[in-house]
Amino acid sequence: TFLPSSDSEMVEIALRMPVGTNIEKTDAITHQVEEAATIQPEVTSVSATVGAYTSADGTESSSNGQHLAQLFIELAPTESRNRTSNEVIDSIREHMSPYTDEIERLQFTEMSGGPGGADISIQATGEDPKRLRELVVEIETMLSEFDGVYDISNDNTLGQRELQIQLRASAAPLGLSVSDVARQIRASVFGLEAHTYAAEGEEIDVRVRHAEAARESQAEIENMWIMTPAGVSVPLLEVAQLNDSTGYSTIRRVDRERAVRITASTASWLSPESVTSYLRTPGPDGLSLMDSLQAAYPDFQISTVGRQQQETEAFSSLPIGFMAAGAMIYIILACLFGSYVQPFVVMLAIPFALIGVIWGHFFLGYDITFLSIIGFFALCGIVVNDSLILIVFYNQVREQGRSVHDSLVQAGMRRLRPIFLTTVTTVLGLTPLMLEQSFQARFLIPMAIAISFGLMSATFLILLLLPAMLMIGDDIRRGTYYLWHGRWRPGAAKDHGVSPAAQNPIR
């Protein structure tokens, strides 16, 4: 999991009714959400705004409208309640199930650390609005087939009904333009300011327009007469064609192309990364679900954005940083040991720390997250420290003329206590963080688990495998010398018990 949605103490609810809903209806549904929230024992306060929406994390643009509402729910501290924020959200969603048909969108967002936005965000871009809407429906249908994926919606929101006016060919000889016709229709429906007078210290506009019955009837609008530039009145239908349709309340563009973002939330037991990974996993035909959609709509671009895009950007720099850190560690060890081989042997202990990292998360019930990987990178330096304690003492004993075997035995015996104390002090220092259950600390627990359990496994393997790898390295060095020179390296008999008669078997 990139960054899990850990327990939160603040929940945002975005309510969207169908476009055109009056504010009274929106307010009534908002009250229902408030009641569903206040009956939860974990909820301490609820605040609501009707008629506007402001993105709390900056991932969406703010908007106003009678069909919009936003609520903020404050929960009790995590250590003083029995249910998580996810379970509270599920309970509120269940109480709102009778109003599902009336609500266009009811999205819950836990306001906690980590990437903002919805759990799953897929963006489709293209120029054909009709085909784009078909693609959006295909993506929403694909996501709805996953168990644990809900709150599926998109920002391609339809607006109110509108009359689209298109000029006929007969309008050109009369000198009528689109702006002429639009201005006169607007004047009849919306009105024109004919006069402004002052009364009781206030300026009052006098607006002239058609009667209310005429404004609300499409037939009355179609029976209008339009004045030409020559001052001649002609029927509207003679110069223009009226089409009743529905427009869009917002139109988003990315890189100058029309874009629609499909978002969805996942249950607490389902990782968003597992869903997006499955969407890109090749099937029996060699194509993933995303590839199949891309092949069906070649003129459109389908991509994951939001949380998944942040994950890609975050992991793209990790290999470079890890290789840079590894190179610096090697250079420092090579300067310290005066050897090109021993730094490699020391750094071979780093991958074995992954054993403890994986099992530590498994035993404590945590997913491996981005912070776990950051903790593993920090662990690399600590593991090298433990190896240094052993290798430095081994080199000191070797300088006294002792054999490789005896030097390693002495190093393991004499350096066991310093290595063990280094591990114990580090693990005990991180134990309070691993045991802390407060909201502020739980975000960092995976990092502490990676360092602590990885160090414990690496300590055991350093004492067991590092001497073995040093022995193997020395065997390889002796064998290479023997194959190249046809005789054993001077001093090899003393180090490994080879008899003097067998030192030079090749005459």
Side-chain angles (χ1 to χ4, degrees):
T1 303
F2 177 42
L3 282 176
S5 55
S6 57
D7 202 357
S8 175
E9 296 179 0
M10 182 70 71
V11 178
E12 176 203 357
I13 303 177
L15 172 64
R16 179 187 292 272
M17 302 293 290
V19 176
T21 304
N22 56 47
I23 198 167
E24 289 79 11
K25 179 65 174 178
T26 305
D27 185 58
I29 297 297
T30 304
H31 279 298
Q32 295 297 329
V33 180
E34 287 179 323
E35 291 181 6
T38 53
I39 63 176
Q40 310 299 325
E42 296 83 2
V43 175
T44 58
S45 65
V46 180
S47 60
T49 302
V50 181
Y53 172 78
T54 302
S55 178
D57 52 21
T59 56
E60 299 181 23
S61 57
S62 302
S63 55
N64 299 319
Q66 297 185 12
H67 63 295
L68 300 175
Q70 186 176 27
L71 299 93
F72 290 95
I73 299 176
E74 185 177 356
L75 305 179
T78 55
E79 55 269 19
S80 63
R81 48 186 163 91
N82 298 323
R83 294 193 302 174
T84 64
S85 55
N86 271 319
E87 293 172 334
V88 175
I89 290 174
D90 291 339
S91 180
I92 297 175
R93 185 181 286 111
E94 183 180 353
H95 280 84
M96 292 303 298
S97 57
Y99 303 94
T100 303
D101 296 336
E102 303 179 46
I103 300 173
E104 181 179 298
R105 178 185 181 186
L106 186 66
Q107 185 175 21
F108 297 81
T109 303
E110 296 172 280
M111 302 180 65
S112 58
D119 293 337
I120 300 174
S121 298
I122 300 176
Q123 183 171 273
T125 57
E127 285 302 325
D128 188 347
K130 183 178 179 181
R131 291 271 294 168
L132 182 59
R133 188 164 185 82
E134 293 175 359
L135 175 58
V136 170
V137 173
E138 292 275 0
I139 296 175
E140 290 180 341
T141 303
M142 178 179 64
L143 291 176
S144 64
E145 295 176 355
F146 287 89
D147 186 21
V149 176
Y150 42 76
D151 292 345
I152 303 173
S153 61
N154 63 80
D155 57 5
N156 193 34
T157 308
L158 292 175
Q160 300 184 23
R161 290 178 56 199
E162 62 185 21
L163 284 179
Q164 296 182 351
I165 303 171
Q166 183 178 3
L167 290 187
R168 300 179 186 272
S170 58
L174 297 175
L176 288 172
S177 64
V178 175
S179 59
D180 294 333
V181 177
R183 185 166 50 251
Q184 295 187 49
I185 295 177
R186 185 178 188 277
S188 65
V189 177
F190 184 70
L192 291 175
E193 293 183 8
H195 181 65
T196 301
Y197 70 94
E200 299 180 356
E202 181 181 3
E203 291 186 350
I204 301 175
D205 296 330
V206 178
R207 187 177 297 275
V208 179
R209 59 183 178 178
H210 280 174
E212 183 176 357
R215 299 197 308 269
E216 294 181 353
S217 172
Q218 181 176 342
E220 291 290 341
I221 296 176
E222 292 175 346
N223 291 331
M224 282 181 52
W225 287 69
I226 298 297
M227 186 70 69
T228 66
V232 180
S233 297
V234 295
L236 173 62
L237 293 181
E238 293 292 334
V239 296
Q241 178 182 352
L242 275 65
N243 299 314
D244 186 5
S245 63
T246 302
Y248 295 94
S249 60
T250 56
I251 296 178
R252 291 181 59 252
R253 288 188 177 273
V254 176
D255 296 334
R256 302 177 66 180
E257 289 190 346
R258 179 172 290 200
V260 178
R261 178 174 295 189
I262 301 95
T263 59
S265 302
T266 58
S268 56
W269 49 267
L270 181 63
S271 166
E273 284 69 37
S274 64
V275 177
T276 54
S277 175
Y278 182 82
L279 293 177
R280 295 194 176 279
T281 302
D285 57 352
L287 293 177
S288 65
L289 294 176
M290 295 285 281
D291 293 336
S292 300
L293 274 180
Q294 188 67 73
Y297 295 86
D299 297 334
F300 295 85
Q301 181 67 33
I302 307 173
S303 58
T304 53
V305 293
R307 175 191 177 106
Q308 285 71 40
Q309 184 179 13
Q310 295 178 39
E311 175 189 4
T312 302
E313 294 174 353
F315 278 102
S316 63
S317 61
L318 282 183
I320 300 175
F322 185 71
M323 288 188 293
M328 292 300 298
I329 291 175
Y330 176 82
I331 293 173
I332 294 174
L333 293 180
C335 295
L336 179 65
F337 296 149
S339 168
Y340 294 109
V341 178
Q342 283 190 348
F344 279 117
V345 177
V346 171
M347 295 177 69
L348 281 176
I350 293 176
F352 291 101
L354 278 173
I355 299 174
V357 172
I358 295 173
W359 282 106
H361 284 80
F362 176 77
F363 285 132
L364 296 185
Y366 283 84
D367 292 339
I368 294 180
T369 68
F370 181 75
L371 289 178
S372 303
I373 299 178
I374 298 298
F376 171 71
F377 288 172
L379 174 65
C380 295
I382 306 175
V383 171
V384 169
N385 288 342
D386 279 356
S387 303
L388 280 175
I389 297 174
L390 182 68
I391 296 295
V392 170
F393 189 85
Y394 160 76
N395 289 335
Q396 292 175 353
V397 177
R398 283 285 290 158
E399 291 175 356
Q400 299 173 5
R402 305 289 293 272
S403 67
V404 174
H405 179 272
D406 292 344
S407 299
L408 289 173
V409 171
Q410 287 294 321
M413 294 170 56
R414 299 289 298 274
R415 297 292 91 183
L416 174 62
R417 181 181 298 174
I419 292 175
F420 179 74
L421 290 178
T422 300
T423 301
V424 170
T425 53
T426 304
V427 172
L428 290 180
L430 292 172
T431 299
L433 178 58
M434 290 190 292
L435 298 179
E436 180 62 44
Q437 297 300 314
S438 65
F439 167 70
Q440 292 80 5
R442 290 181 65 86
F443 188 68
L444 297 173
I445 289 179
M447 180 186 292
I449 293 175
I451 296 176
S452 299
F453 283 84
L455 183 59
M456 285 189 286
S457 68
T459 299
F460 172 77
L461 293 172
I462 284 172
L463 294 170
L464 178 67
L465 294 179
L466 190 58
M469 287 189 290
L470 287 171
M471 288 290 294
I472 293 172
D474 188 71
D475 289 341
I476 294 174
R477 186 167 56 253
R478 287 191 311 111
T480 303
Y481 187 92
Y482 178 81
L483 293 175
W484 184 261
H485 296 279
R487 64 180 185 276
W488 295 111
R489 187 181 73 249
K494 178 182 178 182
D495 288 345
H496 295 273
V498 181
S499 62
Q503 288 191 33
N504 296 292
I506 300 177
R507 301 295 180 183

